[in-house]
Amino acid sequence: MTLNILIHVLRCFAISIAFLYSCYSNQMAKEKNADTTIASKIDALLPLMTLEEKIGQMTQVRHFNDIIEEEVATRYVGSIIHTEGSTPGTTALEWQLKFKRLQEIALSTRLGIPLLFGVDAVHGQNTFDGATIFPHNIGLGASGNAELVKKVAAITALESKATGFNWVFSPCVAIPYNEKWGRVYEAFSESTELTTKLTKASIEGHQGKFSDSPIVMATAKHFIGDGSTDYGQEGGETSLSLEEVKEYLLPPYKAAIEMGVGSVMTSFNTLNGISMHAHKDHITGTLKNSLKFDGIVVSDWKGYSKYGENNIVDAGIDMVMAVDGDLEMFQKGLKKAVKSGEVSMDRIDDAVRRILRQKYRLGLFESPFPDPELIDEIGSDKHRVVARQAVRESLVLLKNEKNILPLEKNLAKIVVVGEHADSAGLQSGGWTIDWQGADRDYKGATTILEGVKKLARGEVIYDPHATNIQDDADVALIFIGEKPYAEFFGDVGHEVSDFELTLTESHQGYIDAYEKKGVNTVVILLSGRPLVSTKQIEQSDAFVAAWLPGSEGDGIAEVLFGDYNFKGKLPHSWPKSIGDYKGKYGPNFWDDSIEPLFPFGFGLQYN
Ligand code: BGC
């Protein structure tokens, strides 16, 4: 290279760096200006507010049961939550109109402060029948693909917005150490590093540039220690040291805050005996003071009555899910506590300031209503294409003997076995349409069996319960797995001795029945966590961990038939035996003497 060329190259490089730096500093300056403007708006608004109005802003309730519509005004409600239970209607327009009406009531109050509408959209807008449903986070963890996670989050945000929301309670950034926990699938991985990488992507996808034109506000949850309780008990005791919490559990929160996450939800568990809802050292100390989190700390369900009433506000919680009968006691109780000095006015002002800040950042004062033009986005083909890609990339191939996979499309006869093969509900897990999920189909979803039928050119027979054995089939695709569950319903016992993370007898029977007849078997496990399946893996010719893929079941068929290769890698190490759980889990994590059946990161591919 001549000297001239070298100088030219260096000059171009310097110009690009200068350009990128100026874009970056312009953006920073813009964000700073926006925040300064917001701060002065809050400075003007806050002194006008009465104590009742401030406590009202700190209140979150459901749109049914907890209030009648008019109470949005009389109780100065700050936020509405939609989760399980009655829906605002069947069509997206009905949902939008319901939330528009509530927003109008809020805007008609003296100070006209708009409402935040929050939803548990944890794998797509999963509360709306007809939305695109993505693999649960454990599957996205298996994909390890940050770009994909960003797209998934952006679509979830858009479909949530299209149904009237400006806030989602996602992502769950737990680090589950114990597969007995019923919420393992809500988290990306047992690896801090992988979780941190995907958390960043998820926040960016959900929120876009939050200070510019946010899609919705995201929530990093549940702060902190939710996935590492002793014996995996939901809401149990996390007995990790402060150093361990900092080293293993805090990095995703740090990353989320760096990405500008709008809210953080506190957790049901205790940490070294202290309820996380009342853990002032962590909420105010770590989160707000050390990590400089300037968004909203929101309690979890009925946090006020369950975890120490005014203590939780004093500890740093800004907004309270005052649901299921808590509304009156929260508003009255907090008012009394402020009057008596138990909770300081500064603490109340800090909470309200944070809530107003996010409402301004979200642009709700200028643009408070849902946009009917977004409705066509819900469950659109282009969103389903991304969901299908996520399904494909989440699949982990654990065994492939005799290169039985990929399947030839022109096999004369394929038998598909197992009720999980033909149920959108079973393939999607908890938090799908209903809180606990369901075994029924829902709108717009494609089952795995439908996917197989689309691609196979020969005969496809469905034998859901292995009662109509097809001993002349070229291959049996056997689908086994867990039934849907959510939260503590998914816990499998809180004592070392008292759990079973194994397959059901009937599912074992499906494999035995086809193995006995000498039919080649491909076993596909649909589950929210690794299950002890050593025997079944030995028995089968090929074994796939498919997690909980969501609405696009045909993504599985596309990989089984070799249109795409396997890409997924285990986001958790895979236990060999129940004995491993005894050693690995319980209060002593990280027992290095245990060898898993497959290590974290394992996953085969087609040659
Ligand atoms: C769960 C949260 C959820 C909240 C609101 C709680 O029971 O722990 O993850 O966001 O309910 O539905």
Side-chain angles (χ1 to χ4, degrees), residues 462-518:
Y462 184 39
D463 180 15
H465 302 291
T467 47
N468 178 20
I469 303 296
Q470 307 291 311
D471 48 13
D472 59 342
D474 295 297
V475 67
L477 303 180
I478 304 177
F479 291 83
I480 56 173
E482 293 184 300
K483 285 202 174 124
Y485 53 80
E487 300 193 38
F488 54 89
F489 285 98
D491 283 5
V492 281
H494 302 140
E495 299 299 328
V496 171
S497 56
D498 125 40
F499 67 99
E500 266 177 59
L501 281 174
T502 46
L503 296 165
T504 61
E505 269 177 36
S506 58
H507 284 179
Q508 178 65 56
Y510 302 169
I511 306 175
D512 293 344
Y514 276 90
E515 193 206 17
K516 222 186 290 160
K517 296 286 177 190

Side-chain angles (χ1 to χ4, degrees), residues 81 83 120 169 183 221-222 265 268 300-301 321 487:
I81 176 174
T83 175
D120 279 302
F169 305 123
R183 310 188 74 164
K221 71 185 189 185
H222 311 80
M265 188 186 291
F268 288 142
D300 204 341
W301 200 255
M321 276 186 207
E487 300 193 38

Side-chain angles (χ1 to χ4, degrees), residues 60 81-84 119-120 122 169-170 172 183 186 219 221-222 234 265-268 299-302 306 321 431 435 487-488:
Q60 181 175 64
I81 176 174
H82 176 70
T83 175
E84 54 113 21
V119 64
D120 279 302
V122 301
F169 305 123
S170 181
C172 172
R183 310 188 74 164
E186 292 186 52
T219 308
K221 71 185 189 185
H222 311 80
E234 167 70 347
M265 188 186 291
T266 45
S267 183
F268 288 142
S299 86
D300 204 341
W301 200 255
K302 280 176 84 67
K306 280 205 239 162
M321 276 186 207
W431 296 106
W435 175 39
E487 300 193 38
F488 54 89

Side-chain angles (χ1 to χ4, degrees), residues 282-303:
H282 275 312
I283 302 174
T284 299
T286 310
L287 204 57
K288 293 183 172 177
N289 295 343
S290 304
L291 297 181
K292 307 268 174 269
F293 174 61
D294 72 356
I296 302 170
V297 178
V298 62
S299 86
D300 204 341
W301 200 255
K302 280 176 84 67

